[in-house]
Amino acid sequence: MSRGTKGAALRPYAWYFEPLQWLLLGLAHLPLPVLYIMAEGIYFLLAYVVRYRWRVVTENLRNSFPEKSPAEIERTGKAFYRHFAQVVVEILKLAVISPGELAQRMRFTNPELMTRPFAEKRLVLSLGSHMGNWEWILSGAALEFPGRAAGVYKPLNNPFFESFMRRLRTRLGADAVPMLSTLRYLVAHKGVGRTLSLLTDQAAGPEDRPYWTTFLNQDTSFYTSADRLAAQLDCAVLYVGIRRVRRGYYEVTFTELPDGRAAAAALAGTFLVTEAFARQLEKDMRASPEQYLWTHRRWKHKRS
């Protein structure tokens, strides 16, 4: 009984998920100040009771910031859990938040870096990460650049959550593009001025032919699809930095990265786009480490 989202064909989900949908939508209608009170409870549960992936979080932090003392690692880890709990309720709020309210809470500091290639009818690859509130960026971009924003996502196995998350991601005007449809989407929109957001910070496995670089003091693998797509389709490329300035308010700043022409001219195996992305992300993670998703097993792959 799934509802269609932006014309996408979604698998039906079982009837017994309907009460869960009513509960989630009911919670989403609560004012954000009330949801942030709930977030404090989620924070306490995750950090002190369940200690959700605490070993992964602290190991990631210790390896990334060997200069930090155990007490500093502990404080950063707890600050991350509070941030994460707030992001959870903010994502839920996407189900009902008004365009005006979200626009007030998402400030784009230099939108001209996006609109300039639009004027040239070029595709723009927007390379983001799991910093700040990565789900609000897409909806915020759909409001800032109407009719031009889309985001790549990995479909979920559970039909209900796949339907619910697509609803959240697209209700304010963004397109949600399944990962395997990335190239098809870009080819279909070449020459019209459109941006496609990719979260480029995830761990690439050996089968993905990753690019390896030193990142936060560790050998780190990155996907290289941004270099290939940019070169193939002559895309402009922007790094999307997001910073929480206070609870519920974010600033998004774009940084120009090597574009498709530079990627096409680069020597084989250099991956200029991915390397530039890694350096910008490393800078942001050092500045605001508590705003990154440390529960992710980012360094699970080892260089062979």
Side-chain angles (χ1 to χ4, degrees):
M1 293 189 294
S2 63
R3 280 78 173 157
T5 306
K6 302 281 285 184
L10 297 175
R11 293 172 294 159
Y13 57 81
W15 64 268
Y16 49 77
F17 280 102
E18 285 295 331
L20 176 58
Q21 177 170 246
W22 301 336
L23 173 62
L24 293 175
L25 292 177
L27 291 173
H29 277 88
L30 294 173
L32 266 173
V34 176
L35 289 175
Y36 285 131
I37 293 174
M38 292 178 52
E40 285 300 297
I42 296 172
Y43 156 66
F44 181 82
L45 184 68
L46 294 178
Y48 294 97
V49 180
V50 179
R51 293 178 69 82
Y52 174 66
R53 292 199 173 187
W54 177 248
R55 183 177 298 178
V56 174
V57 170
T58 53
E59 181 181 0
N60 283 342
L61 287 170
R62 281 196 302 266
N63 292 339
S64 299
F65 305 104
E67 73 280 4
K68 289 185 179 292
S69 68
E72 289 175 310
I73 295 296
E74 177 90 6
R75 284 195 298 271
T76 304
K78 296 295 174 57
F80 154 71
Y81 279 113
R82 174 167 274 124
H83 165 76
F84 178 64
Q86 292 175 8
V87 169
V88 168
V89 300
E90 289 170 356
I91 292 173
L92 179 61
K93 190 66 179 178
L94 279 177
V96 299
I97 196 169
S98 70
E101 182 176 4
L102 186 64
Q104 288 180 350
R105 293 175 175 275
M106 293 289 294
R107 176 174 173 261
F108 290 79
T109 65
N110 53 353
E112 67 278 2
L113 292 188
M114 184 72 76
T115 56
R116 191 180 303 147
F118 286 167
E120 300 170 355
K121 297 185 178 181
R122 295 181 73 190
L123 290 168
V124 182
L125 295 183
S126 298
L127 306 187
S129 69
H130 289 88
M131 282 287 292
N133 189 325
W134 55 93
E135 293 289 353
W136 273 21
I137 292 179
L138 180 59
S139 293
L143 298 175
E144 183 76 16
F145 313 106
R148 296 185 182 271
V152 174
Y153 78 102
K154 183 177 181 180
L156 302 173
N157 291 327
N158 182 291
F160 168 74
F161 288 106
E162 167 70 1
S163 174
F164 190 78
M165 288 304 299
R166 279 188 64 92
R167 174 178 179 176
L168 266 57
R169 289 165 174 157
T170 61
R171 65 173 287 270
L172 294 180
D175 286 340
V177 181
M179 186 183 302
L180 295 180
S181 300
T182 301
L183 180 59
R184 186 184 315 134
Y185 183 90
L186 289 170
V187 170
H189 294 87
K190 183 175 171 58
V192 298
R194 186 72 61 99
T195 183
L196 184 65
S197 174
L198 299 89
L199 296 182
T200 316
D201 61 323
Q202 296 171 328
E207 69 281 2
D208 302 306
R209 295 178 297 169
Y211 170 66
W212 287 91
T213 187
T214 301
F215 177 79
L216 289 177
N217 302 293
Q218 301 163 82
D219 270 349
T220 308
S221 63
F222 285 87
Y223 286 100
T224 59
S225 54
D227 285 84
R228 295 194 300 272
L229 292 171
Q232 185 174 351
L233 297 166
D234 186 28
C235 301
V237 187
L238 297 178
Y239 170 80
V240 183
I242 182 170
R243 180 176 68 94
R244 188 185 69 240
V245 292
R246 66 182 192 274
R247 191 176 68 179
Y249 290 84
Y250 296 88
E251 283 186 351
V252 177
T253 299
F254 299 126
T255 301
E256 290 181 306
L257 300 183
D259 67 2
R261 294 156 195 168
L267 296 174
T270 54
F271 301 107
L272 296 180
V273 175
T274 303
E275 174 64 23
F277 167 82
R279 300 285 71 85
Q280 288 293 331
L281 177 57
E282 184 177 51
K283 177 182 176 182
D284 284 355
M285 289 173 68
R286 289 188 182 280
S288 304
E290 76 285 353
Q291 295 189 35
Y292 188 69
L293 185 65
W294 293 105
T295 51
H296 176 50
R297 292 181 61 235
R298 180 62 182 86
W299 290 273
K300 60 185 176 182
H301 300 299
K302 304 300 179 185
R303 194 198 295 245
S304 57

